[in-house]
Amino acid sequence: MNDTINHAINDTIIKVSRNTDIAPQNLLSTQTVAFSHYNYISAQLPVNITTGDLVANDIKVQAAQCLKNIKTIVESIDHDMNDVIKINIFLKNIEDIKDIDTIYPAFFQGYLPTRTVIAVAALPMENALVQMDAVISNGEGTYPQAPVELVKVPKNNEKVHKDSVSPHTIAFSHYNNISAQLPVDIETGELVAGGIKEQTQQCLQNIKAILESIDVPLHEIVKVNIFLKNIADVDVVNDVYKEFFPESISDGSAAYLPALTMVIASDLQLDALVQIDAIVSHGNGTPPQAVEDKHGITIEANNTDKAPKNPLSTQTVAFSHYNHLSGQLPINPETGKLIDGDIKAQTKQCLENVKAIVESIDHVMDDVVKMTIQLKDITDVDAVNNVYKTYFSSDLPARTVIGVAAIPMNALIQIDTVVSNAEGTPPA
């Protein structure tokens, strides 16, 4: 086990980056990056650690290897698979999820994690059929936080269609992760009638119902991920989405829109046109954190003129000890237009935009704990890496790379970021 302690810009809580020799390593990412009460696990491909090669070209074998690699990393930091809060599964063929689900539950002895499943255009290794990343609970916190036996709280809502392989939401400490919601009508168990407008409305209604079941209002969502099958549907989805959030909150102040990332999937389950997941602030925490703490933490939404602005999202939304950034495209913030240039130039612009946002909230790039990179052409990954590694002076974040069917504005790359927030957010 290689442990590295990185001091965040505010030196009260320390980020811990770790690799183990008994799981696949990547020079461009750290296997697990812990900060405060969460750990982010880099995407795991179905690579056999002994040979360094992909395992057999069989979806069950490959899925089991991804999960074994995650399990090895999780156990190397003295956790177990029951500490997993969220799993993202990226498939070449969406129909393969049926086979994966015959082996998936056996890796978890207690509650299953929340989950998002999409088919993607490509994965970083040519013959890989699947890739998975994960977020795990970290009750002990990171130094100098005192270890606490915090409780993970899964919950389902009877007003929303249930998936036998994931709960609707899992709360841990000060966040809730909501499983991706398909546009399924609870009364019929089928896709809602209609097209992209009706499906988007149903996804958002399902999320709203889940939030109501845990007594959380819409304005406490900090991050939304929208997965679309057709990029041509973006404008319709945006029209529905912007009507979903309240214009003001209970104290009369103007509401913010959550950080937002749009992903164009190759396919979704049930042949849906859209799917949406969310991360929600959870001010009261989970036991034994005191309920009154709900009134002692605020959400901080921030935009800077030095990065591109989007009327449908906030550049960064901080709550407690994390900042979630909106997906950054290679847009020149001065013109609001996509830059001219190849993949290297576009990668640099995305990272410059991330850096500008991070610095606008008095942080540095080494405070980043997780990045997800979408590529229009997966073969661009080497060129991306050459630019990417120059933006960090210490251990690299946990990372996921996927090839997607398309990227908004016909960009070649989009980058999504989670940042540690040692100073936390202030009392209300």
Side-chain angles (χ1 to χ4, degrees):
M1 169 66 64
N2 303 315
D3 291 11
T4 303
I5 295 176
N6 294 327
H7 291 259
I9 192 165
N10 181 309
D11 204 31
T12 57
I13 303 174
I14 295 171
K15 186 176 79 172
V16 181
S17 303
R18 288 174 284 191
N19 287 305
T20 175
D21 293 334
I22 54 175
Q25 294 192 18
N26 186 325
L27 295 176
L28 276 304
S29 64
T30 304
Q31 289 169 349
T32 171
V33 180
F35 186 78
S36 189
H37 290 137
Y38 280 90
N39 259 287
Y40 285 81
I41 309 291
S42 287
Q44 296 300 303
L45 287 158
V47 173
N48 183 308
I49 181 59
T50 303
T51 65
D53 297 326
L54 286 177
V55 296
N57 189 32
D58 176 274
I59 188 58
K60 288 185 182 180
V61 175
Q62 290 202 5
Q65 187 65 52
C66 291
L67 289 162
K68 288 174 185 175
N69 290 344
I70 289 172
K71 184 172 184 282
T72 298
I73 294 167
V74 167
E75 292 177 348
S76 76
I77 55 174
D78 298 323
H79 281 263
D80 61 47
M81 291 293 278
N82 287 327
D83 292 329
V84 177
I85 298 289
K86 175 74 184 285
I87 291 265
N88 293 305
I89 300 177
F90 306 98
L91 294 166
K92 291 296 296 297
N93 183 350
I94 199 69
E95 292 300 319
D96 283 344
I97 194 62
K98 297 173 184 175
D99 287 328
I100 289 174
D101 284 345
T102 65
I103 61 145
Y104 178 84
F107 282 85
F108 308 93
Q109 288 71 52
Y111 293 103
L112 292 166
T114 58
R115 196 170 82 162
T116 294
V117 178
I118 66 168
V120 295
L123 293 170
M125 296 184 76
E126 184 177 0
N127 294 317
L129 304 175
V130 60
Q131 176 179 251
M132 302 182 194
D133 67 18
V135 182
I136 75 168
S137 58
N138 190 48
E140 68 271 25
T142 51
Y143 185 83
Q145 291 173 319
V148 179
E149 291 296 326
L150 295 173
V151 177
K152 185 174 74 171
V153 183
K155 190 164 185 178
N156 284 308
N157 181 357
E158 293 181 356
K159 295 181 180 179
V160 178
H161 176 71
K162 290 182 181 178
D163 187 332
S164 62
V165 289
S166 65
H168 289 146
T169 176
I170 293 181
F172 185 78
S173 188
H174 291 134
Y175 279 94
N176 266 285
N177 281 267
I178 296 179
S179 286
Q181 294 302 301
L182 287 158
V184 175
D185 186 324
I186 181 60
E187 294 184 2
T188 66
E190 304 290 338
L191 286 182
V192 67
I196 185 61
K197 179 179 180 179
E198 291 77 14
Q199 289 198 16
T200 305
Q201 289 171 333
Q202 186 67 51
C203 290
L204 292 168
Q205 288 168 8
N206 290 347
I207 287 174
K208 183 179 180 182
I210 293 167
L211 292 181
E212 289 174 347
S213 74
I214 56 175
D215 298 321
V216 173
L218 290 174
H219 64 254
E220 292 188 8
I221 297 176
V222 297
K223 176 70 192 294
V224 172
N225 296 301
I226 299 177
F227 304 90
L228 282 179
K229 194 169 177 182
N230 302 310
I231 196 165
D233 288 337
V234 166
D235 289 342
V236 175
V237 170
N238 286 343
D239 287 341
V240 175
Y241 181 79
K242 66 185 178 184
E243 298 298 325
F244 182 66
F245 294 94
E247 294 183 358
S248 63
I249 53 181
S250 57
D251 64 3
S253 60
Y256 66 92
L257 286 166
L260 174 66
T261 298
M262 191 86 67
V263 181
I264 311 303
S266 295
D267 208 351
L268 298 170
Q269 292 184 88
L270 303 181
D271 200 28
L273 300 175
V274 61
Q275 171 180 270
I276 302 176
D277 69 18
I279 301 169
V280 182
S281 63
H282 184 54
N284 50 312
T286 51
Q289 289 169 324
V291 173
E292 56 265 24
D293 286 349
K294 184 178 180 70
H295 305 289
I297 307 174
T298 58
I299 293 170
E300 288 188 333
N302 189 70
N303 285 308
T304 174
D305 292 334
K306 295 181 179 180
K309 292 183 178 180
N310 185 333
L312 294 178
S313 66
T314 303
Q315 290 169 351
T316 174
V317 180
F319 182 76
S320 188
H321 292 309
Y322 279 94
N323 269 285
H324 291 267
L325 273 61
S326 290
Q328 292 302 303
L329 292 162
I331 295 172
N332 182 325
E334 294 182 0
T335 65
K337 296 181 179 179
L338 198 73
I339 66 162
D340 294 326
D342 61 8
I343 186 60
K344 288 185 179 180
Q346 292 202 11
T347 302
K348 186 175 187 297
Q349 186 64 57
C350 287
L351 289 165
E352 285 294 320
N353 292 343
V354 171
K355 185 171 182 280
I357 295 167
V358 168
E359 291 179 348
S360 76
I361 52 173
D362 297 325
H363 280 264
V364 295
M365 289 294 281
D366 284 329
D367 290 335
V368 173
V369 296
K370 173 71 193 292
M371 278 193 160
T372 299
I373 300 175
Q374 300 176 42
L375 293 176
K376 183 80 175 294
D377 183 349
I378 199 70
T379 63
D380 283 340
V381 69
D382 290 339
V384 169
N385 288 342
N386 289 334
V387 177
Y388 177 85
K389 62 187 178 184
T390 67
Y391 278 79
F392 303 94
S393 58
S394 189
D395 291 294
L396 293 164
R399 193 175 80 159
T400 297
V401 178
I402 54 173
V404 292
I407 296 175
M409 299 183 72
N410 202 30
L412 302 177
I413 183 170
Q414 181 174 217
I415 299 180
D416 191 273
T417 310
V418 181
V419 181
S420 61
N421 190 45
E423 66 271 27
T425 50

